[in-house]
Amino acid sequence: MKQMTKSLALIAAASGAVFGVLTPLSASADSGAPALKWTKCEGSSLDPRQQCATVSVPMDYADPGGRKIEIAVSRIRSENPDARRGALLLIPGGPGGDSMNDPSGKGQKLPKRVRDAYDLIGFAPRGMAPSTAVDCGLEHRDLARTTMLPWPSADGSVDANIAAGKRVSEACARNGGELIQHISTLNEARDLDRVRAALGERKVSAWGVSYGTYVTDAYLQLFPHRTDRVVLDSNDNPDPVLAERAWLAAFERGAEDNFPEFAKWASAPGNPDRVADTAAEVRPQFLKLAARLDREPIPWPGANPEELNGNVLRQSMLDSFYDPDDYPALAKLILAARKGTVPPAPAGPPEAVLQNVTAVAAATICNDVDWPNDPVMYREGVAKSRAEFPLTGGMPRNAMACPSWPWDPKEAPVHVSDQGPSNILMVQNERDPATPLSGALKLREALGRRAVMVTNDSTGHDAYLDNGTACGDAAVSRFLATGKRPAKDLYCG
């Protein structure tokens, strides 16, 4: 897809907000967008101010007059209409995440001056309930975390992964309906522009997190001059060829970046969940335990799979690294496994939710970019990864459902460029397991003069108002409230 370009004059005009010009951004230039019908949202523990509506969009943007689907949208309005600047899209991670409850949740962590400036807008991406939803009717075993991420067999074989991918692809072809062919990152971005128009906004601001940074990248590609202030938080590698394959591979680096922090915590004197006397002992002990569980899994009734094996331990490690507050759960699992026991099986989402999430994730990943079909490539990649990055056991270079996916991508992947308004602030933790700094730096390079980047000396996923630093949070809040970015890339130690 060709990158949209504009004259320097238009770029300068669109970039005025970066310097704090408080130009009202409502009054959409799109004529004929139907007014939204806001109603009370369903669900518990929501802010009573949160409202919900739906936006009708084409299922297939190549056939805009054809079948329509619904995109569910939520809103909490600006707390000070006199200070209101516009709308802030809360763009979730995933693929397979939604932000419907975020105006009531993480949106309320925003400083008051930011909540005054924006209507907070959440949504459920196409395919995600309560938007028009998809479901592949997958087997229970294919909803396991260690199947959704392709952990190879204990001996490094990828045959079971290839077979699982084939089952998932065939189930989605059989049960996913026509919509599953049209779930992609670029179509999610197009849906967001329909949401913008329905909100009556000429431009929108955005806070994209994790996979949401990639969705925001797509919006910046397709609609650069409909953006106001853009925050990219926990940034995906924008590789224009590999796309999600590069994100999977990023777990190798992410685990290595994070394990030393866990090791320091897990060996600290006085820690009730201490697993070793020194930090240096934690890694070899972890690898030894994972290898033992590969050979001798421990039954784990109620879990999926119903055993604690080496891959379940490795996946639990990655999950705990998203937030250092979750280190105790990993340590308790390690301590139990050493004794040949397990804690209670972890509670998970209802199976209907897992079916929906897994279908949307598979569709997005496989529709976005073409994956190689040759199993030999995955066998060789897994073997090399297992040797170089033993913590992640070869998973990051393995096959997902995509080699068997029945449909080819309909368009080229997102292509990030430095053409467009300079209105982007990136925020990134140094030690992030899922979106490591190495990938974020590639996005920073691709965006060029359009972006300024704040790097936090911090550990975990989700930087702004979560696992970042006070310095980084202040820089992002100031940008959202006033449009003022740091003069150059900033390191928050």
Side-chain angles (χ1 to χ4, degrees):
M1 179 168 292
K2 295 181 179 178
Q3 176 67 33
M4 299 177 68
T5 59
K6 296 287 184 182
S7 69
L8 289 176
L10 283 175
I11 291 174
S15 303
V18 174
F19 302 101
V21 180
L22 296 177
T23 306
L25 296 175
S26 296
S28 173
D30 300 79
S31 59
L36 294 177
K37 297 179 180 178
W38 296 102
T39 62
K40 180 179 173 59
C41 296
E42 296 182 4
S44 59
S45 303
L46 294 177
D47 189 303
R49 297 171 298 167
Q50 182 170 308
Q51 302 170 299
C52 287
T54 59
V55 177
S56 180
V57 304
M59 181 180 70
D60 181 0
Y61 279 94
D63 180 21
R67 178 184 163 191
K68 299 295 190 292
I69 60 172
E70 300 298 316
I71 302 298
V73 181
S74 60
R75 174 182 75 175
I76 290 180
R77 306 195 76 166
S78 160
E79 296 181 14
N80 182 357
D82 292 337
R84 183 186 182 278
R85 179 177 180 81
L88 178 66
L89 299 178
L90 306 176
I91 303 182
D98 75 86
S99 59
M100 284 297 289
N101 293 344
D102 283 357
S104 293
K106 77 175 193 177
Q108 297 308 304
K109 295 168 64 176
L110 290 162
K112 187 175 187 306
R113 59 179 179 161
V114 177
R115 301 197 309 272
D116 285 347
Y118 300 100
D119 295 346
L120 305 179
I121 307 297
F123 69 102
R126 59 170 50 209
M128 291 292 303
S131 296
T132 305
V134 294
D135 184 324
C136 292
L138 301 177
E139 296 181 27
H140 179 70
R141 59 176 170 164
D142 291 330
L143 298 173
R145 193 93 167 95
T146 49
T147 303
M148 290 189 282
L149 286 179
W151 293 93
S153 299
D155 62 357
S157 170
V158 305
D159 292 348
N161 307 108
I162 298 293
K166 190 170 187 293
R167 288 195 305 271
V168 170
S169 295
E170 290 176 349
C172 288
R174 186 168 59 248
N175 304 317
E178 186 180 359
L179 173 55
I180 205 161
Q181 303 178 47
H182 300 284
I183 294 174
S184 70
T185 299
L186 286 165
N187 279 342
E188 183 173 335
R190 294 181 179 107
D191 293 343
L192 284 177
D193 202 55
R194 295 293 180 115
V195 171
R196 174 201 59 78
L199 291 169
E201 302 292 333
R202 184 168 55 86
K203 294 184 179 184
V204 283
S205 294
W207 174 14
V209 182
S210 192
Y211 167 67
T213 65
Y214 195 61
V215 175
T216 310
D217 292 339
Y219 194 87
L220 291 164
Q221 172 188 326
L222 296 173
F223 312 106
H225 300 288
R226 294 176 187 169
T227 60
D228 184 23
R229 298 169 183 165
V230 176
V231 173
L232 301 177
D233 176 352
S234 305
N235 298 270
D236 274 317
N237 182 341
D239 190 302
V241 175
L242 299 179
E244 283 91 336
R245 285 173 60 205
W247 309 350
L248 192 65
F251 281 116
E252 292 174 340
R253 184 75 266 148
E256 294 292 340
D257 289 347
N258 280 260
F259 200 93
E261 296 300 308
F262 171 72
K264 285 189 290 186
W265 174 89
S267 58
N271 182 348
D273 299 311
R274 194 180 192 193
V275 302
D277 293 332
T278 67
E281 294 175 285
V282 177
R283 181 187 178 100
Q285 289 184 14
F286 177 87
L287 293 173
K288 181 179 178 180
L289 178 61
R292 193 193 90 195
L293 292 171
D294 283 337
R295 299 187 304 270
E296 302 170 3
I298 302 170
W300 203 356
N304 187 13
E306 290 200 331
E307 64 179 28
L308 174 57
N309 57 40
N311 284 337
V312 171
L313 180 68
R314 296 179 186 102
Q315 181 63 59
S316 299
M317 171 198 69
L318 283 182
D319 290 343
S320 76
F321 285 0
Y322 276 62
D323 188 333
D325 289 345
D326 294 333
Y327 286 173
L330 175 60
K332 285 179 170 62
L333 185 62
I334 290 171
L335 293 170
R338 285 178 181 171
K339 300 174 184 176
T341 63
V342 290
E351 183 151 320
V353 173
L354 281 176
Q355 290 282 3
N356 185 212
V357 168
T358 307
V360 171
T364 306
I365 292 167
C366 299
N367 289 336
D368 270 5
V369 66
D370 194 25
W371 287 54
N373 295 324
D374 187 355
V376 173
M377 194 209 80
Y378 298 105
R379 292 190 186 105
E380 292 175 348
V382 165
K384 186 174 181 181
S385 181
R386 283 165 66 88
E388 294 180 8
F389 300 95
L391 288 173
T392 45
M395 177 276 290
R397 301 193 206 181
N398 205 353
M400 301 185 81
C402 306
S404 302
W405 198 245
W407 305 285
D408 293 328
K410 298 180 184 297
E411 51 191 332
V414 174
H415 180 75
V416 177
S417 85
D418 60 359
Q419 299 300 304
S422 181
N423 61 350
I424 301 166
L425 182 63
M426 299 172 61
V427 59
Q428 177 70 37
N429 288 345
E430 272 194 299
R431 297 170 295 279
D432 184 320
T435 57
L437 179 60
S438 55
L441 290 172
K442 293 183 182 300
L443 178 59
R444 174 68 187 89
E445 180 181 10
L447 288 169
R449 62 167 193 84
R450 300 182 70 183
V452 172
M453 181 166 167
V454 176
T455 303
N456 291 317
D457 178 10
S458 193
T459 301
H461 194 54
D462 292 1
Y464 179 47
L465 302 180
D466 196 349
N467 290 314
T469 64
C471 161
D473 289 352
V476 176
S477 295
R478 182 170 56 250
F479 171 63
L480 287 173
T482 70
K484 295 178 181 178
R485 297 181 301 185
K488 58 182 180 180
D489 288 357
L490 175 66
Y491 183 79
C492 287

